[in-house]
Amino acid sequence: MSSSPLHRALGLVTSQVPETTFEFYSDAALGVAFLATAIIAAKRMSYSRSQGGAETTVVTAFYSLILLTATLRTIWLIVPSTFWSPYYTPHAVMAFDPDHPEWFLKFLEVLLVGAGSLCLFSIFILILVYWADILKKYFYPGARRSKPMVTFLVLVSVLLIVQILNATLFLMKNYSTEGMILVNAVTLSLVSLVCVCEITIFSHRFRTVLKTLGAINQVSTESQVKRIVWITVTGNLFFFTRAFIETIFAVMLVVYWHKNGSVSEVFSHKLWDSYILLKHWSEVAILALMLYILQSRFTTNMDGSGDAAADGGKNGYQTVPDSEPNNEGLPYQTVATLSV
């Protein structure tokens, strides 16, 4: 029993070491992947802005969020981990601690990671806001609706306030960087679960709307329905995985903290590496998929406005003018545009 404290101390020392070779190269690979995503998003955003129109304004907003997410992740991954802290795995540091002068850089690192997650989740929040607005316009034509971008900014502001409050409590020495990581994990877990529920509900209604509009306007909505299905399946898979990871992560933090007064032991290199790889490669995958969906939408629209107009449309359907409303007073092209 007398060796137990010594064994624990040795375990802590061996776990809190600078990054391994595997961690260096894995972070570099992730950084390059996010950098490539940022470059593609920047080019697409520049092209989208040059087109003009209400349709491209929404698409440009998506590209902007993808660009911001990928850029923040690139900065965090490309900068060597030793710049932020002497250790690769997280460890407890209190604000203004003279024994740990690296506390400020560690604080900035947590903020940087949180900002990247906020931008990533904002992409799907924007999708859900526009889906909700379109569905409300279709099912309740006379109902008063708020502007989608205003609703989006309000929701994002709430998440931003959580980040600011988390940082304030850290600076007031209410908890250490471990507490900041725990708050972020719980927040992301809850938001992920909400996104899973909302995406499932809205996508089901949206597919019904698209099929109805297709029958009314005598046009094919198959491509739009497929994009909805892609967003639903991949979005739910991503957010369910994210909710599972963050929930398990938060539970482990609480259990270890309750038992030992610190969560340093939970951050072994193998466990932290698994968390980082699963979390961030899934982010790369979902961002790449969003870029693909947005690009395929542009390709479809360009084909539909060119050859399809001359040949009677794809699959024998006539194209629908942008300004032509359906029986419910909802422009069909608006639905096709905002279904991404």
Side-chain angles (χ1 to χ4, degrees):
M1 297 296 293
S2 61
S3 62
S4 178
L6 177 61
H7 177 74
R8 181 178 301 175
L10 290 175
L12 177 60
V13 171
T14 55
S15 64
Q16 298 286 10
V17 296
E19 64 182 339
T20 63
T21 302
F22 171 78
E23 290 164 347
F24 175 81
Y25 284 110
S26 64
D27 283 358
L30 276 169
V32 171
F34 278 113
L35 178 61
T37 303
I39 293 174
I40 295 173
K43 291 182 177 179
R44 300 268 187 85
M45 183 182 69
S46 177
Y47 174 78
S48 178
R49 291 182 62 183
S50 65
Q51 300 303 302
E55 175 181 345
T56 54
T57 299
V58 178
V59 177
T60 301
F62 281 113
Y63 282 136
S64 301
L65 290 173
I66 295 173
L67 172 61
L68 191 54
T69 300
T71 300
L72 291 173
R73 288 290 190 249
T74 301
I75 294 173
W76 177 60
L77 290 162
I78 293 298
V79 174
S81 62
T82 51
F83 173 81
W84 307 107
S85 170
Y87 314 113
Y88 182 80
T89 56
H91 61 288
V93 177
M94 295 295 294
F96 308 105
D97 187 351
D99 296 330
H100 296 86
E102 75 277 7
W103 73 266
F104 183 70
L105 289 176
K106 190 63 181 177
F107 171 63
L108 290 181
E109 181 186 16
V110 176
L111 291 181
L112 182 62
V113 174
S117 298
L118 177 62
C119 293
L120 175 64
F121 279 65
S122 296
I123 297 172
F124 280 87
I125 292 175
L126 183 59
I127 293 176
L128 292 174
V129 165
Y130 271 103
W131 280 6
D133 181 71
I134 295 173
L135 290 172
K136 186 175 182 180
K137 184 173 184 179
Y138 180 79
F139 287 107
Y140 310 101
R144 184 178 181 180
R145 309 189 327 274
S146 59
K147 294 183 178 180
M149 287 305 297
V150 173
T151 304
F152 167 74
L153 292 175
V154 170
L155 293 175
V156 173
S157 297
V158 172
L159 296 179
L160 182 60
I161 290 173
V162 173
Q163 294 291 321
I164 295 175
L165 181 61
N166 189 23
T168 302
L169 291 175
F170 168 77
L171 294 175
M172 294 176 63
K173 300 183 179 181
N174 285 273
Y175 45 68
S176 66
T177 50
E178 293 174 342
M180 292 189 69
I181 295 173
L182 177 59
V183 170
N184 286 336
V186 173
T187 302
L188 294 179
S189 177
L190 293 176
V191 175
S192 296
L193 291 175
V194 172
C195 287
V196 168
C197 296
E198 294 297 323
I199 288 176
T200 302
I201 295 172
F202 287 166
S203 65
H204 175 72
R205 294 178 180 176
F206 220 122
R207 291 196 301 271
T208 302
V209 169
L210 286 172
K211 292 177 181 178
T212 303
L213 292 176
I216 293 174
N217 291 277
Q218 296 295 306
V219 295
S220 174
T221 59
E222 182 180 355
S223 61
Q224 287 86 357
V225 172
K226 285 183 178 179
R227 283 194 288 270
I228 295 295
V229 172
W230 267 105
I231 293 175
T232 303
V233 173
T234 56
N236 280 348
L237 181 61
F238 170 76
F239 283 112
F240 180 80
T241 302
R242 191 61 174 265
F244 178 78
I245 294 174
E246 299 294 353
T247 300
I248 297 298
F249 189 66
V251 170
M252 293 181 66
L253 289 177
V254 173
V255 171
Y256 271 84
W257 180 81
H258 180 72
K259 288 183 177 179
N260 306 301
S262 172
V263 297
S264 297
E265 294 182 16
V266 77
F267 294 118
S268 66
H269 277 266
K270 289 184 178 179
L271 181 59
W272 184 248
D273 292 346
S274 300
Y275 173 76
I276 291 295
L277 291 175
L278 184 58
K279 174 181 177 180
H280 294 298
W281 277 115
S282 66
E283 293 180 350
V284 172
I286 199 67
L287 291 177
L289 181 64
M290 291 302 301
L291 289 173
Y292 171 76
I293 293 175
L294 289 169
Q295 177 63 21
S296 66
R297 188 194 63 78
F298 267 127
T299 302
T300 301
N301 285 355
M302 290 175 65
D303 292 341
S305 60
D307 297 338
D311 299 334
K314 292 185 177 181
N315 301 324
Y317 291 97
Q318 296 292 333
T319 57
V320 180
D322 290 357
S323 60
E324 178 181 338
N326 57 32
N327 293 344
E328 298 294 336
L330 175 63
Y332 173 79
Q333 188 64 27
T334 303
V335 177
T337 299
L338 298 181
S339 62
V340 192

